[in-house]
Amino acid sequence: MKNGILVAGAGGFIGGHLVADLLRKGHKQIRAVDIKPFDEWYQRFPEVENLQLDLQLKDACERSASGIDQIYNLACNMGGMGFIENNRCLCMLSVLINTHLLMAAQKAGVKRYFYASSACVYAADKQTDPNITGLRESDAYPAMPEDGYGWEKLFSERLCRHFTEDFGLITRVPRFHNVYGPHGTYDGGREKAPAAVCRKVIAAKLAGKHEIEIWGNGEQTRSFMYIDDCIHGIDLIMHSDKVTFPINLGSTEKVSINQLVDIVEDIAGIKLKRRYNLSAPKGVNGRNSENTLIKKTLGWEPCIPLRVGMEKTYNWILGEMTKGA
């Protein structure tokens, strides 16, 4: 493959949408890699080179990077708070993916390298108040990120920086804030709040059992970015010559989990009794993106309101849950 593009983690939610977008833009030389068996990929496209490889292994990374000009590294072991809080070691072992892929990129003469970081890098003491206004890029230090997953992301950010400084590899690092949309995980333990709430509301409506379990007290706040906005941001960041530092990629439309449930109930046309599980994983009390830097450098901000994106997501999950019914 000459002048190729590698999407690592292509069988995942964001990776699948990214491959679709690259194809829409007319790219022909695309290599899609994921550890999952092909039948577990969320989206798979026969017109690209699809490989099932474990990118924690150095040899697999070298094979994947051969003949490649641009690498998008979206591969990692991750999920929602239930998964992250109970699988800290697995999350940290994703450091092998980014380490070996950076080494392979340098060896192969890759021109640009994109590493998907996360808002979980932000210091916990900046996220104690549900009324948080927004997290600035500088709020990652002094470091106290989400244990396990957040530490791996923060370390890998620094590794990208030093590969640029020491070896000249151009790296780009966005910090994703809660991406959601169709063609993603909605059950099984790795799903995030938007998909989980959609699934729970749909299940309650289908079963005629009008109640829902909410993790925590429902007052914890987050912002959620629809996948189309995310893909647009990825494209801008990857090809910018201005963004040489980790940068927020997220929505500033902050809601509480209770408000998120309100939105999905409205979409479903139903009201549910709420049971609060105070012992369940709930993450930090408040997290929101502060987008001054990305607006200034790239002119980017999300254009899809949460209500609109959640309706698209709800309808897709409803279709999945009622297949064959």
Side-chain angles (χ1 to χ4, degrees), residues 15-207:
H17 281 278
L18 177 58
V19 173
D21 185 66
L22 291 169
L23 287 170
R24 280 193 298 269
K25 288 182 167 72
H27 293 284
K28 304 294 185 184
Q29 303 299 315
I30 301 171
R31 180 175 293 147
V33 179
D34 203 286
I35 192 173
K36 293 188 290 293
F38 289 142
D39 61 0
E40 294 179 16
W41 290 30
Y42 294 116
Q43 298 184 75
R44 182 159 60 95
F45 303 91
E47 59 267 49
V48 310
E49 181 187 5
N50 296 299
L51 299 175
Q52 184 193 352
L53 296 170
D54 182 356
L55 292 174
Q56 293 179 104
L57 305 177
K58 184 180 177 185
D59 289 349
C61 288
E62 291 183 351
R63 178 181 172 187
S64 298
S66 176
I68 294 296
D69 268 356
Q70 300 178 43
I71 291 178
Y72 292 87
N73 180 14
L74 303 164
C76 66
N77 222 329
M78 60 88 67
M81 286 313 305
F83 180 83
I84 288 173
E85 290 196 4
N86 292 307
N87 295 277
R88 294 188 175 106
C89 185
L90 281 179
C91 289
M92 290 204 75
L93 285 171
S94 293
V95 73
L96 295 170
I97 299 172
N98 193 55
T99 302
H100 287 145
L101 207 49
L102 279 167
M103 293 168 67
Q106 181 201 359
K107 183 176 179 180
V110 169
K111 294 177 181 176
R112 290 205 173 215
Y113 185 98
F114 179 99
Y115 174 69
S117 187
S118 165
C120 288
V121 302
Y122 286 114
D125 62 2
K126 304 284 179 66
Q127 303 175 81
T128 58
D129 187 352
N131 298 311
I132 187 172
T133 54
L135 292 159
R136 300 181 302 276
E137 283 77 3
S138 58
D139 287 333
Y141 295 94
M144 192 168 59
E146 187 80 42
D147 197 8
Y149 180 72
W151 275 110
E152 187 278 322
K153 290 295 184 185
L154 195 61
F155 173 84
S156 291
E157 283 189 6
R158 301 294 286 195
L159 194 58
C160 287
R161 169 179 169 174
H162 297 313
F163 261 79
T164 298
E165 294 171 343
D166 294 358
F167 305 122
L169 175 62
I170 295 174
T171 59
R172 295 292 179 261
V173 179
R175 291 171 178 164
F176 291 166
H177 286 250
N178 292 313
V179 188
Y180 74 99
H183 299 288
T185 304
Y186 62 90
D187 63 3
R190 290 181 184 256
E191 66 276 15
K192 294 188 176 183
V197 171
C198 286
R199 185 200 75 241
K200 289 178 179 182
V201 170
I202 292 167
K205 186 173 182 179
L206 292 175

Side-chain angles (χ1 to χ4, degrees), residues 194-302:
V197 171
C198 286
R199 185 200 75 241
K200 289 178 179 182
V201 170
I202 292 167
K205 186 173 182 179
L206 292 175
K209 187 178 181 182
H210 289 188
E211 64 177 37
I212 184 173
E213 180 185 79
I214 297 173
W215 288 7
N217 61 12
E219 296 304 314
Q220 62 270 35
T221 56
R222 296 290 187 275
S223 65
F224 302 100
M225 171 176 52
Y226 190 67
I227 184 63
D228 291 1
D229 285 325
C230 177
I231 295 297
H232 182 219
I234 287 173
D235 182 59
L236 292 175
I237 291 169
M238 180 59 151
H239 298 104
S240 169
D241 290 326
K242 298 178 181 178
V243 182
T244 59
F245 39 77
I247 192 166
N248 280 334
L249 187 62
S251 170
T252 59
E253 188 182 352
K254 181 183 66 177
V255 293
S256 70
I257 298 302
N258 279 327
Q259 289 171 323
L260 184 65
V261 175
D262 289 341
I263 290 170
V264 180
E265 285 180 335
D266 183 60
I267 293 168
I270 196 172
K271 290 298 292 184
L272 304 175
K273 179 182 178 181
R274 301 182 184 187
R275 293 185 292 104
Y276 294 95
N277 184 350
L278 302 181
S279 63
K282 69 178 185 67
V284 295
N285 290 327
R287 178 179 292 159
N288 192 19
S289 185
E290 210 289 328
N291 286 354
T292 299
L293 192 55
I294 195 166
K295 284 183 187 177
K296 180 180 178 182
T297 54
L298 298 178
W300 178 92
E301 57 184 325

